[in-house]
């Protein structure tokens, strides 16, 4: 609340400041030729299938830059700032979906019919000797995990609270996914002062040999790589996926960090047409991706809902569908299963992040070599935390028990990229590769239910402008295609008695994208079609849109985001892991910690469905208006 | 006659021949660069200060290109006539021409040239019997003094206009920068910037300043000495925060939605080898050459602490620069695309013989109909910004690309500055785009 009040105060100041600036353009112009202030107001209104209004976001952004010229030994000195504030009215206008009235009472699948029904209300499952009190965790304000995408279909599920954390604090993970109503409405006004989106100073230092050291210090975005949509090398800044999943421009959803970036620019030499060595030091306090809190419109992979439900189970207990015997809804007590807490790396020098990049042009080839040590911005669930045995009441560490803490491991990356223009084909080819060590993946073959694996990701892209005279005789169309590949090394997976176990992510997977864009009316009307297909998941997203520049200041974008193909996927859910032997053994002699592979859609099937598959059913119509000044 | 006398005569004759040849060669260069040294061109009824309009244009049809003739006949524009003046190029360029005289030749294939170091490659008068005369003139244009060794247009206003009602649909404000890597005659380093491992000839660097939706867009073009090689080009998009490599083969694509193809820039921005060039003759024509400071300028579009104002536009749709035109020596050259799928059947370039700029071009579509016409106004450097005085650069100062079929035009208003500090070599690197971007 304190944060919210402070945030609102900041919002007021920013709004007044912005209004003042907007109302005094003439004064601003006269005040200094060097200070340039621009900005925009944007309204994004989205409507989603079966949901209604899914976004009514109003954004005001102000950009300021001032060139200071030479200052002492430095040249090209300037400072830049970006302020951004937004209000998403969906939490007020559609509060029954996304706000204080969201969710309701839930029932969990009880396939066996034990107790007389194949579906039981939350709190009415088979009670373990150490169970939960529904009075502490009432059956209201919840959804069933994954209900928007799939039925339970014999798998696990549990109630997930969906109201903002000031209305319902159940499942709100302190310091990670704990947004209250105003945090959701006014997403930039938080204790990280995100409304100061960027603020940095640039300066150059020239050496006698003609080389230049260009430095940018401050809150900024640092972009590596040559790829659209996918983050292979572009991993320095975390991303806010809660804004619009993966579909917004990365410029708008990267989370700026306090970074020192220095480029030693060597220019042209005897071999290279251009050569630069870049050093990046992200000295900001660690920041994970914003994966979207359950109960908000964009929850990538539905992971935020899984986390909230699991934290609720840990803090309060709860009813889990089809758990005992694989078919009886079961009531667990608090501190037994679920997610306990998130370990958010505190600021320390050793927790900061460093990167090096050598980039240049050699003849017709542009290239880069990249190295980065950073903290994973995606969470890893590590088991092996002390938990209560639901049968005996004993607290201990139970191998293969679905009781986790969230960690953000350190990752080391080596990679590179290149681009090449083929004159014969009149096509630009782009390649980007990154190999990482230190990433962690869910793994039901490991006692702590995760493993560390190295990963290789790559993108191969091609861009070509093609005239289609029948459609447009004056302007060529842009065709841009990419194949994104991900290969997980030291991969573990095997078939067991009831299904496959191990790492749910595909050992190797590919996503293809195709962008076709055209221009009419002196580039004021630009339709585009973006399609993405996840090959292993069998999921496809098609996003047609039209951009209309009504005037130099006013831009309208209308579009749709449609998901076709497969949605949810199934995988081992560790119901048959037998962590509390003999109570959880499926049969006499069932080895402790040996999953038989009984699975369902939740929770690990999401890693096979991918971000495209998990968003099935979230078809949207989108209208965005931006007025620039 | 005895041997001594015969020898003396032979020597004398040889010396005379050498001197005559040298003189002839010197005349070639002087004739090329100073065509108005001895006399001013004239035409019956034409005088400085007069206006050519619907009422009197018929008597001047021989000295006006067919596109502008039709415009005047329709009452879309009137031409103000000025005195013919000599736009002397920088003496270093002239001397570089002299130094290279007789050493430059065309290669076996169009697009190949041998022996050029700097200056005008072929200063000789074109010969109508030379089947490659047009190609030589194209090389003179490509290696013309143009903006000199480096320059900038800061700022540069493009306006897209509806020619029917004059409505300005879009205004884009740029900074353009030009740099010659080779063939440098004036600014250090001379004759070339080194190191230059890819043997670049020229660089163009563009920054978009306004409007907001394209602000921070940057474009870098590297043109190689090898004419057969396509440009390497990169684009920085502010909203993507990264540099994209561009496929540059589609030179007939409209640039940022304007009426100009990428191939149209500066008169012709493509490869010599992409066209079949033919010399059509030498003429005297009214061309858009003027003194900027003597004009009635546009007081609204631009103002700054220099007191500089850009050229005003008027006429039909506001598509015509309010400038004066003068009678000048012109080489008429036709360029027909080699590629049969090119949207144009041909361009007719009216190359100014003294400066080898292309101030007038008329383009025809595949049916042979007039499609577009391009005017690039040339300002005398000594009547422009003080810093341009003595630069010897014929300043591109205004442009108009008119699409007569669409009744639409794009106009350009320049603040051209011949100032090496505005276009330093490090600006023409890919990393500069990243460093300058947001």
């Amino acid at each position: 609340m304190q944060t919210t009040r402070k945030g609102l105060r900041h919002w007021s100041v920013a709004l007044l400041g912005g209004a003042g600036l907007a109302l005094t353009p003439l004064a601003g112009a006269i005040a200094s030729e060097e200070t340039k202030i621009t900005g925009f107001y944007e309204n994004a209104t989205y409507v989603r299938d079966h949901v209604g209004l899914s976004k009514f976001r109003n954004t005001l952004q102000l950009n300021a830059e001032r060139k200071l010229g030479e200052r002492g030994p430095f040249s090209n000195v300037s400072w830049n700032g970006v302020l951004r504030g937004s209000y998403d009215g969906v939490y007020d206008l559609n509060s029954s979906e996304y706000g204080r009235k969201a969710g309701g009472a839930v029932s969990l699948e009880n396939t066996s019919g034990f107790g007389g029904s194949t579906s039981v209300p939350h709190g009415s499952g088979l009670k373990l000797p150490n169970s939960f009190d529904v009075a502490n965790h009432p059956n209201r304000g919840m959804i069933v995990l994954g209900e928007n995408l799939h039925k339970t279909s014999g798998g696990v599920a549990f109630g997930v609270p969906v109201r903002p954390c000031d209305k319902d604090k159940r499942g709100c993970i302190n310091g990670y996914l704990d947004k209250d109503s105003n945090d959701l409405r006014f997403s930039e006004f938080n204790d990280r002062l995100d409304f100061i989106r960027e603020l940095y100073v640039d300066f150059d230092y020239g050496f006698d040999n003609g080389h230049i050291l260009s430095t940018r210090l401050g809150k900024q975005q640092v972009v590596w790589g040559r790829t659209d949509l996918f983050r292979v090398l572009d991993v320095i800044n975390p991303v806010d996926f809660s804004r619009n999943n993966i579909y917004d421009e990365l410029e708008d959803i990267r989370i700026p960090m306090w970074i020192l970036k220095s480029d030693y620019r060597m220019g042209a030499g005897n071999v290279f047409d251009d050569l630069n060595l870049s050093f990046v030091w992200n000295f900001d306090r660690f920041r994970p991706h914003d994966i979207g809190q359950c109960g908000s419109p964009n929850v990538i992979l539905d992971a935020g809902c899984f986390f909230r439900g699991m934290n609720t189970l840990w803090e309060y207990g709860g009813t889990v569908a089809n758990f005992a015997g694989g078919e009886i809804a079961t009531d667990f007590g608090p501190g037994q299963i679920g997610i306990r807490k998130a370990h958010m790396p505190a600021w320390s020098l050793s927790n900061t992040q460093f990167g090096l990049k050598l980039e240049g042009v050699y003849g017709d080839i542009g290239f880069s070599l990249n190295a980065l040590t950073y903290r994973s911005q995606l969470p890893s669930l590590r088991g092996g935390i002390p938990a209560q045995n639901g049968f005996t009441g004993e607290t201990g560490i139970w191998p293969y028990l679905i009781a986790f803490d969230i960690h953000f491991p350190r990752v080391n990356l080596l990679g590179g990229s290149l681009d090449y223009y083929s004159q014969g084909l009149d096509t630009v080819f782009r390649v980007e590769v990154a190999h990482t060590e230190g990433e962690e993946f869910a793994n039901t073959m490991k006692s702590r239910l995760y493993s560390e694996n190295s990963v290789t990701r790559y993108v191969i892209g091609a861009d070509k402008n093609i005239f289609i005279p029948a459609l447009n005789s004056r302007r060529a169309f842009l065709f841009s295609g990419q194949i994104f590949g991900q290969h997980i090394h030291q991969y573990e997976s095997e078939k067991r008695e009831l299904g496959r176990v191990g790492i749910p992510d595909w050992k190797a997977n590919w996503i293809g994208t195709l962008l076709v864009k055209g221009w009419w009316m002196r580039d004021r009307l630009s339709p585009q079609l973006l399609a993405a297909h996840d090959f292993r998941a069998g999921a496809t997203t098609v996003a047609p849109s039209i951009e209309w520049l009504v005037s130099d200041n006013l831009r309208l974008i209308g579009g749709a985001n449609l998901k076709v193909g497969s949605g949810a996927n199934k995988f081992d859910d560790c119901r048959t892991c037998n962590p509390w032997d003999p109570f959880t053994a499926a049969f006499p002699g069932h080895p402790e910690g040996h999953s038989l592979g009984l699975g369902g859609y939740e929770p690990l099937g999401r890693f096979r469905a991918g971000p495209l598959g998990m968003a099935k059913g979230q078809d949207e119509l989108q209208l965005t208006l931006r007025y620039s000044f | 006659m005895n041997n001594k006398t015969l020898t003396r005569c032979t020597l004398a004759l040889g010396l005379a021949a050498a001197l005559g040849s040298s003189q002839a060669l010197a005349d070639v260069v002087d004739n090329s660069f100073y065509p108005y040294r001895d006399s001013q061109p004239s035409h019956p009824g034409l005088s400085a200060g007069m206006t050519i309009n619907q009422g009197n244009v018929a008597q001047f049809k021989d000295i006006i290109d067919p596109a502008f003739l039709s415009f005047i006949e329709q009452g879309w524009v009137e031409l103000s006539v000025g005195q013919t003046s000599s736009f002397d190029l920088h003496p270093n360029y002239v001397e570089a021409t002299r130094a290279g005289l007789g050493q430059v030749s065309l290669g076996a294939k169009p697009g190949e040239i041998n022996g050029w170091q700097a200056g005008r490659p072929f200063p000789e008068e074109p010969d109508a019997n030379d089947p490659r005369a047009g190609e030589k003139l194209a090389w003179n244009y490509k290696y013309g003094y143009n903006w000199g060794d480096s320059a900038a247009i800061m700022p540069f206003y493009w306006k897209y206009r509806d020619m029917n009602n004059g409505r300005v649909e879009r205004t884009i404000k740029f900074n353009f920068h030009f740099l010659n890597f080779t063939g440098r005659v004036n600014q250090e380093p001379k004759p070339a910037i080194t190191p230059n491992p890819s043997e670049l000839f020229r660089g163009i660097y563009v920054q978009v300043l306004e409007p907001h939706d394209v602000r921070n867009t940057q474009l870098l073009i590297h043109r190689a000495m090898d004419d057969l090689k396509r440009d390497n080009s990169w684009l920085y998009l502010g909203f993507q925060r990264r540099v994209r490599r561009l496929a540059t083969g589609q030179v007939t694509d409209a640039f940022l939605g304007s009426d100009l193809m990428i191939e149209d820039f500066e008169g012709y921005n493509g490869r010599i080898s992409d066209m079949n060039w033919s010399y059509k003759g030498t003429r005297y024509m009214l061309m858009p050459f003027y003194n900027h400071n003597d004009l009635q300028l546009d007081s609204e579009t631009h103002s700054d602490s220099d007191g500089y104002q850009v050229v005003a536009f008027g006429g039909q749709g506001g598509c015509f620069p309010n400038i004066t035109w003068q009678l000048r020596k012109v080489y008429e050259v036709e360029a027909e695309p080699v590629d049969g799928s090119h949207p144009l059947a041909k361009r007719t370039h009216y190359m100014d013989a003294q400066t080898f700029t292309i101030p007038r071009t008329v383009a025809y579509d595949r049916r042979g109909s007039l499609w577009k016409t391009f005017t690039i106004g040339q300002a005398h450097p000594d009547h422009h910004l003080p810093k341009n005085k003595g630069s010897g650069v014929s300043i591109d100062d205004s442009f108009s690309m008119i699409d007569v079929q669409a009744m639409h035009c794009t106009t350009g208003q320049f603040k051209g500055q011949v100032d090496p500090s505005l276009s330093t070599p490090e600006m023409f690197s890919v990393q500069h785009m990243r460093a300058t971007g947001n």
Side-chain angles (χ1 to χ4, degrees), chain A residues 65 198 228 273 474 522, chain B residues 198 215 241-242 259 403:
Chain A
E65 62 176 289
E198 292 179 77
D228 300 323
D273 294 275
R474 295 164 190 271
R522 319 288 160 189
Chain B
S198 287
R215 191 163 175 277
R241 304 280 184 115
R242 69 176 183 86
D259 294 289
D403 182 335

Side-chain angles (χ1 to χ4, degrees), chain A residues 175-298:
Chain A
Y176 184 40
L177 292 167
D178 59 354
K179 293 182 182 177
D180 64 22
S181 301
N182 279 335
D183 292 334
L184 293 169
R185 290 187 186 108
F186 307 104
S187 56
E188 284 85 6
F189 297 96
N190 51 39
D191 58 2
R192 297 299 292 260
L193 305 183
D194 282 346
F195 70 93
I196 304 174
R197 187 153 170 75
E198 292 179 77
L199 183 64
Y200 56 82
V201 61
D202 284 342
F203 50 95
D204 289 350
Y205 181 81
F207 294 92
D208 291 339
N209 61 1
H211 295 175
I212 301 171
L213 187 69
S214 288
T215 300
R216 175 170 291 181
L217 173 63
K219 198 172 188 189
Q220 60 184 287
Q221 302 182 39
V222 177
V223 183
W224 282 2
R226 291 165 158 76
T227 295
D228 300 323
L229 285 176
F230 301 107
R231 287 162 45 90
V232 178
L233 292 174
D234 180 14
V235 295
I236 293 176
N237 291 84
V239 169
D240 180 2
F241 291 110
S242 72
R243 214 166 150 82
N244 189 20
N245 204 312
I246 62 173
Y247 305 110
D248 268 2
E249 281 296 341
L250 280 166
E251 185 203 31
D252 293 327
I253 61 174
R254 278 191 209 94
I255 301 173
M257 304 286 279
W258 291 95
I259 292 173
L260 169 69
K261 177 171 75 84
S262 276
D263 292 288
Y264 183 65
R265 296 164 53 185
M266 294 166 266
N270 292 324
V271 176
F272 297 100
D273 294 275
D274 193 13
L275 194 64
N276 313 278
L277 184 63
S278 180
F279 168 74
V280 174
W281 179 32
N282 180 352
F283 55 89
D284 204 343
R285 180 160 59 95
F286 170 75
R287 193 81 185 259
H289 291 321
D290 187 339
I291 59 174
Q293 180 167 294
C294 194
S296 64
N298 297 110

